[in-house]
């Protein structure tokens, strides 16, 4: 026979459901929470007798409405978002028919699964801590639904359930650590596609005036870098991501056709393959590890050229590094770059053609200017210097608030009219001027600089570090990086965007409550970021290579037999610990508090000359002691009466009775 769930047990269950569902509202439809609250309210009214149990027709109608809401949310099928939303919908509606413990246990087990499911959306240390809280509340609900009647007051019951759930989960902690450290790191056997609900962040696959400026107003983290040796100077930190070759008069793109990331991968594997022999390696290597944040995009950012790369990535002839899948979780990359190397001393014809493309018409004034400057200079380097000098001498301004340039002739509008812009304006117009003079050039987009965290000894690159610069191909030198922004605002690459925008006051102007603007809060932010990076690096970055290195350090030489013996020993130790904690080994029973107080009562009377015989009942001994000690007779009788009440007729408030015993005992000393 299945026992009915109590009203208190139902409260525990509904609280657990709310705690489990709450973090999903940041990734899935917000209307799931009102659905849960509606179902919870109905169930509570049923338990209190104010409403009837929903019938089959009502249940079918609610399910239909839920599925309709799911369809109207625009989620694609099949996808992780759609499956998770469907599961959460069932999780919420299940509370409508919970009447017995069996039903409640099913809901709780689904809750455990949902806690694990949320780690597909967030893997931060904050998400892990919240997951622990969810597990504690779920386990407390599991304890609560098993209770038939309240044995304590409401506050005591909450403390008891939570204390027991914490104790139960702590017992699982050693086994969890062993599984995490020693379980093989296997690749997933299958996956569901993420949907557009997973908003893409970071640098986009195209660039128009205003795009990068928008990123500059975000302090979201892009990636963190740990250097194995020398940390490069700030002006050397150009994190290459995408290369834009095609310009349609307003927008820069990777290729003439608008293709997706999968087609870009195909291009990198066919027409634009990585050519290591096109690089003349020279200079000092820079070894580093990068942990990228989830962006929903496959673009990776490295120092150029990255000669050694450890990870599942693709490299292209334009020296980009690209993940094989969009980043839906933190991604670790180890690389060694040689920034002083010469690249493409002989430029392939197809790359030269890409680097010289211009629209057939438009921006006539810029084309005329390029021809004029080329006639006046006549050499590549002299022409390049002349263009940079024009940016400097004509007092162009670097600003996060550039004016609009219109729908056509945007290069002309910038160079001859507004002369106020961000890095994308300068890089795009510079490349246009190079190509108009017949010099191969292209726009490179990524990040520049970063914030050094002294406590964690790593570099943090944020979205406001997004940057665009140019590459020019020069005879005898190959591809050379040229950043026209440095001519207009040298502090941008030397000290960062905040220093460059200090006079304008536009740095993070949209983030009114940014902690970066308050020194002591910014220090706390960096300390917390250090902890988060440690979590990213050593927990989320614990892959097969890290596991093999750890096992080798523990065992000396890696072998299946050695790992099996080590795991066996650890599991045996955990089993022994469980035997002790669960009381399966002989142990002395702890004496109840009231009995401890009675022994101290008898000892206090013995000091006054009244000894209790082993066979004397508390009442008999109290009568003898009261007769022998009339001065404290009232205290003796009351103490004995309260003690007998606890032993033979316990009240709801046992703590008050024990406190009274302590007070009376104090009067005898």
């Amino acid at each position: 026979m299945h026992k009915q769930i109590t009203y208190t047990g139902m409260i525990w269950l509904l609280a657990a459901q709310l705690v489990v569902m709450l973090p999903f509202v940041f990734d899935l439809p917000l209307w799931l929470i009102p659905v849960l609250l509606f179902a919870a309210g109905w169930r509570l009214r049923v338990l209190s007798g104010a409403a009837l149990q929903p019938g089959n027709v009502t249940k079918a109608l609610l399910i239909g409405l839920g599925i309709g809401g799911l369809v109207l949310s625009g989620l694609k099928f099949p996808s992780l978002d759609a499956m998770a939303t469907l599961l959460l919908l069932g999780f919420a509606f299940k509370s409508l028919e919970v009447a017995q413990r069996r039903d409640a246990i099913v809901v709780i087990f689904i809750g455990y699964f949902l806690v694990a499911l949320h780690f597909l959306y967030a893997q931060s240390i904050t998400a892990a801590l919240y997951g622990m809280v969810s597990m504690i509340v779920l386990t407390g609900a599991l304890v609560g639904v098993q209770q038939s009647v309240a044995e304590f007051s409401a506050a005591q019951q909450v403390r008891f359930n939570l204390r027991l759930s914490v104790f139960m989960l702590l017992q699982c902690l050693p086994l969890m650590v062993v599984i995490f450290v020693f379980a093989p790191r296997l690749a997933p056997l299958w996956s569901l596609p993420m949907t557009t609900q997973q908003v893409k962040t970071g640098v986009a696959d195209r660039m128009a005036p205003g795009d990068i400026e928008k990123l500059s107003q975000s302090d979201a983290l892009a990636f963190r870098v740990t250097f194995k040796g020398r940390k490069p100077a700030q002006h050397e930190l150009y994190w290459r991501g995408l290369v834009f070759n095609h310009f349609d008069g307003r927008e820069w793109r990777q290729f003439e056709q608008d293709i997706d990331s999968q087609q870009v991968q195909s291009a990198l594997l066919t027409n634009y393959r990585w050519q290591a022999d096109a690089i003349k390696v020279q200079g000092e290597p820079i070894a580093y590890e990068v942990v990228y944040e989830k962006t929903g995009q496959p673009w990776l950012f490295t120092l150029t050229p990255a000669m050694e790369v450890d990870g599942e990535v693709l490299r292209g002839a334009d020296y980009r590094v690209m993940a094989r899948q969009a980043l839906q979780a933190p991604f670790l990359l180890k690389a060694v770059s040689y920034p002083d190397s010469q690249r493409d001393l002989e430029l392939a014809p197809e790359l030269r053609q890409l680097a010289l493309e211009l629209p057939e018409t438009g921006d006539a004034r810029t084309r005329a200017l390029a021809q004029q400057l080329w006639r006046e200079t006549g050499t590549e380097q002299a022409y390049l210097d002349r263009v940079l000098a024009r940016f400097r001498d004509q007092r162009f301004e670097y600003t996060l608030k550039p004016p609009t340039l219109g729908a056509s002739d945007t290069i002309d509008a910038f160079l001859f009219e507004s002369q106020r812009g961000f890095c994308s304006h300068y890089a795009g117009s510079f490349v246009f001027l190079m190509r108009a003079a017949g010099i191969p050039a292209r726009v490179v987009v990524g990040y520049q600089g970063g914030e050094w965290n002294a406590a964690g000894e790593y570099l943090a690159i944020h979205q406001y570090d997004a940057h665009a610069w140019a590459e020019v191909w020069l005879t005898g030198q190959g591809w050379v990086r040229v950043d026209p922004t440095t001519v207009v605002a040298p502090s941008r690459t030397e000290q960062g965007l905040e220093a460059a925008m200090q006079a304008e006051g536009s740095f993070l102007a949209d983030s009114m409550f940014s902690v970066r603007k308050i020194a002591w809060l910014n220090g706390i932010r960096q300390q917390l970021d250090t902890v988060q990076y440690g979590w990213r690096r050593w927990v989320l970055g614990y892959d097969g290579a890290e596991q093999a290195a750890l096992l080798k350090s523990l065992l000396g030489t890696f072998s299946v037999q050695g790992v099996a013996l080590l795991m066996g020993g650890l599991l045996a130790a955990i089993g022994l610990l469980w035997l002790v904690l669960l009381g399966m080994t002989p142990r002395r029973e702890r004496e109840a508090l009231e009995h401890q107080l009675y022994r101290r009562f008898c000892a206090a009377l013995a000091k006054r000359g009244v000894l209790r015989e082993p066979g004397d009942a508390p009442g008999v001994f109290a009568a003898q002691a009261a007769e022998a000690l009339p001065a404290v007779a009232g205290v003796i009788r009351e103490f004995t009466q309260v003690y007998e009440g606890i032993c033979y007729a316990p009240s709801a408030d046992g703590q008050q009775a024990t406190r009274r015993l302590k007070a009376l005992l104090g009067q005898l000393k």
Side-chain angles (χ1 to χ4, degrees), residues 474-662:
L474 301 177
T475 304
Q477 300 183 54
W479 288 110
V480 177
R481 182 182 69 233
V482 180
D483 188 354
T485 299
T486 60
V487 178
V488 182
S491 58
R492 167 61 186 90
T493 54
E494 293 288 345
Q495 302 173 21
L497 182 65
E498 184 174 7
M501 295 293 100
Q502 187 171 7
E504 186 177 81
S506 56
F507 178 71
L508 295 181
D510 296 338
S511 302
M512 297 178 58
F513 303 103
S514 175
V515 298
R516 299 173 188 276
K517 300 179 180 180
I518 304 175
W520 66 273
L521 285 178
N522 192 48
I524 295 175
R525 177 191 62 82
Q526 285 203 332
Q527 292 292 336
L528 294 176
D529 193 68
T530 302
V531 175
Q532 180 65 41
Y533 179 60
W535 172 264
R536 283 273 194 265
R537 179 64 185 85
W538 301 112
V539 178
L540 301 181
Y542 185 71
D543 54 12
E546 295 286 345
Q547 185 183 56
L550 176 62
L551 293 176
K552 187 175 181 180
S553 65
L554 292 175
L555 302 174
T557 58
F558 180 81
S559 66
V560 176
Q561 295 83 356
V563 174
L565 287 174
L566 181 59
M567 284 194 66
L570 291 173
L571 292 175
I574 292 172
L576 180 60
L577 178 64
W578 283 355
L579 288 175
V580 173
L581 293 177
L582 295 176
M584 296 182 181
T585 56
R587 61 179 179 177
R588 180 180 177 183
E589 292 292 334
R590 183 179 179 182
E591 187 178 23
L593 178 59
E594 60 269 18
H595 299 322
Q596 297 178 33
L597 294 173
Y598 187 73
R599 284 194 300 101
R600 291 164 59 186
F601 168 76
C602 295
L605 294 181
K607 291 180 180 181
R608 292 173 176 261
V610 182
L611 298 176
R612 176 176 177 266
E613 296 297 328
D616 289 346
V620 174
F621 178 60
Q624 296 173 356
E627 183 178 352
L629 302 170
V632 290
V635 175
I636 294 172
R637 292 191 182 95
E638 185 179 356
F639 185 96
T640 304
Q641 182 180 4
V642 174
Y643 173 68
E644 289 180 331
I646 295 175
C647 294
Y648 305 113
S651 62
D653 194 353
Q655 291 185 350
Q656 183 178 357
T658 54
R659 285 195 297 268
R660 183 56 183 164
L661 287 181
K662 291 178 182 179

Side-chain angles (χ1 to χ4, degrees), residues 395-410:
R395 297 183 179 180
F396 280 77
E397 293 184 28
Y398 184 72
T399 177
L400 290 179
K401 302 175 181 179
T404 58
L405 300 178
S408 61
D409 294 331
T410 56

Side-chain angles (χ1 to χ4, degrees), residues 250-534:
R250 175 173 175 78
E251 187 175 69
W252 288 90
R253 296 199 300 268
Q254 301 177 77
F255 304 100
E256 183 174 0
Q257 299 81 15
D258 194 7
I259 62 178
D260 59 24
S261 60
Q262 294 297 324
Q263 292 171 312
V264 174
Q265 289 188 16
S266 299
L268 296 183
L269 291 172
T270 54
N271 300 331
Y272 307 102
R273 299 184 64 179
W274 162 262
Q275 301 291 338
D277 55 1
I279 304 171
K280 182 180 178 182
V281 178
Q282 59 187 29
E284 181 183 357
I286 299 177
Y288 52 97
E289 294 182 359
V290 190
V291 178
Y292 301 94
E293 294 296 302
K294 177 179 71 173
T295 61
Q297 301 185 113
W299 324 125
L300 303 178
F301 303 89
T302 60
L303 301 177
T304 303
M307 297 300 299
E308 302 174 25
V309 179
D310 182 10
E312 292 294 323
V313 300
L314 294 173
R315 288 183 284 176
D318 56 6
Y319 303 99
R320 78 174 70 196
V321 180
M322 180 178 177
R324 293 183 179 270
Q325 301 291 335
L327 302 186
Q328 302 296 352
F331 184 83
L332 172 66
L333 180 75
K334 301 177 182 179
V336 179
S337 297
Y338 290 79
D340 295 331
S341 298
Q342 291 184 315
R343 296 169 287 135
D344 292 343
L345 291 175
E346 296 292 332
L347 188 60
E350 59 273 16
L351 294 179
R352 178 182 293 273
Q353 181 181 356
L354 275 176
L356 288 173
E357 285 184 355
L358 280 178
E360 295 183 1
T361 60
D363 297 298
R365 286 185 289 175
T366 302
R367 296 174 194 264
L369 174 64
Q371 295 302 316
Q372 175 190 341
L373 295 179
W374 178 255
R375 287 193 299 269
E376 294 174 358
T377 55
T379 64
E380 295 173 338
Q381 188 63 54
Y383 176 78
L384 188 154
D385 293 339
R386 185 69 176 274
V387 171
L388 292 178
R390 180 181 175 83
F391 282 125
R392 180 180 60 251
D393 298 340
Q394 293 201 5
R395 297 183 179 180
F396 280 77
E397 293 184 28
Y398 184 72
T399 177
L400 290 179
K401 302 175 181 179
T404 58
L405 300 178
S408 61
D409 294 331
T410 56
I411 303 296
D412 281 356
F414 171 65
L415 290 177
F416 298 98
E417 297 171 14
S418 75
Q419 297 188 333
R420 301 178 68 246
F422 196 54
C423 59
S424 55
H425 296 79
Y426 292 101
S429 60
F430 180 84
V431 170
F432 192 101
L433 283 166
M434 293 297 108
R435 292 184 176 187
I439 301 175
R442 57 195 184 189
V443 175
V444 183
V445 175
Y447 296 86
Q448 199 285 319
E451 178 188 32
W452 181 250
N453 189 308
E457 295 187 341
Y458 64 87
L459 191 74
I461 292 85
H462 301 84
Q463 296 300 344
Y464 59 72
D465 293 313
H467 193 57
W469 60 96
E471 278 189 340
V472 178
W473 189 88
L474 301 177
T475 304
Q477 300 183 54
W479 288 110
V480 177
R481 182 182 69 233
V482 180
D483 188 354
T485 299
T486 60
V487 178
V488 182
S491 58
R492 167 61 186 90
T493 54
E494 293 288 345
Q495 302 173 21
L497 182 65
E498 184 174 7
M501 295 293 100
Q502 187 171 7
E504 186 177 81
S506 56
F507 178 71
L508 295 181
D510 296 338
S511 302
M512 297 178 58
F513 303 103
S514 175
V515 298
R516 299 173 188 276
K517 300 179 180 180
I518 304 175
W520 66 273
L521 285 178
N522 192 48
I524 295 175
R525 177 191 62 82
Q526 285 203 332
Q527 292 292 336
L528 294 176
D529 193 68
T530 302
V531 175
Q532 180 65 41
Y533 179 60

